[in-house]
Amino acid sequence: MNPMNLLQLQQRFQIFQQEHPKIIAFFKAIGNDSMKEGTIIAVKVTTPDGKEIESNIKITANDITTFQQLMEIAKNR
């Protein structure tokens, strides 16, 4: 991967964190106790015109590794 792309991604992630500070706190809160293989994360999106889209994922061992790496990036920024 291009190092410049990684730098841009890190910058975008910092902006995202600044604009949505509760999301990192949310993942920290569920991180230790709830992030276990088999846990289901459900997401619901409501557009400005009221359309609702829902989905969910069942957490795998690979997902846990990814979330841990993302949390390390957030912690070390």
Side-chain angles (χ1 to χ4, degrees):
M1 182 178 245
N2 182 334
M4 289 304 293
N5 289 345
L6 286 175
L7 182 59
Q8 289 176 344
L9 180 60
Q10 183 181 21
Q11 291 170 341
R12 296 304 311 168
F13 186 68
Q14 288 174 352
I15 292 168
F16 183 83
Q17 283 183 287
Q18 291 169 357
E19 293 181 352
H20 308 284
K22 292 181 182 179
I23 195 71
I24 297 302
F26 173 77
F27 280 111
K28 284 181 182 178
I30 64 170
N32 293 332
D33 297 331
S34 301
M35 280 298 204
K36 298 176 182 149
E37 199 167 346
T39 296
I40 296 174
I41 296 178
V43 177
K44 177 180 175 182
V45 174
T46 304
T47 64
D49 62 353
K51 181 180 177 184
E52 294 181 351
I53 304 164
E54 297 182 56
S55 187
N56 63 63
I57 61 169
K58 185 182 277 189
I59 299 298
T60 67
N62 285 329
D63 297 328
I64 293 169
T65 300
T66 301
F67 288 132
Q68 289 171 339
Q69 289 177 351
L70 287 172
M71 292 308 294
E72 280 300 312
I73 291 169
K75 188 168 66 171
N76 293 324
R77 67 168 185 97

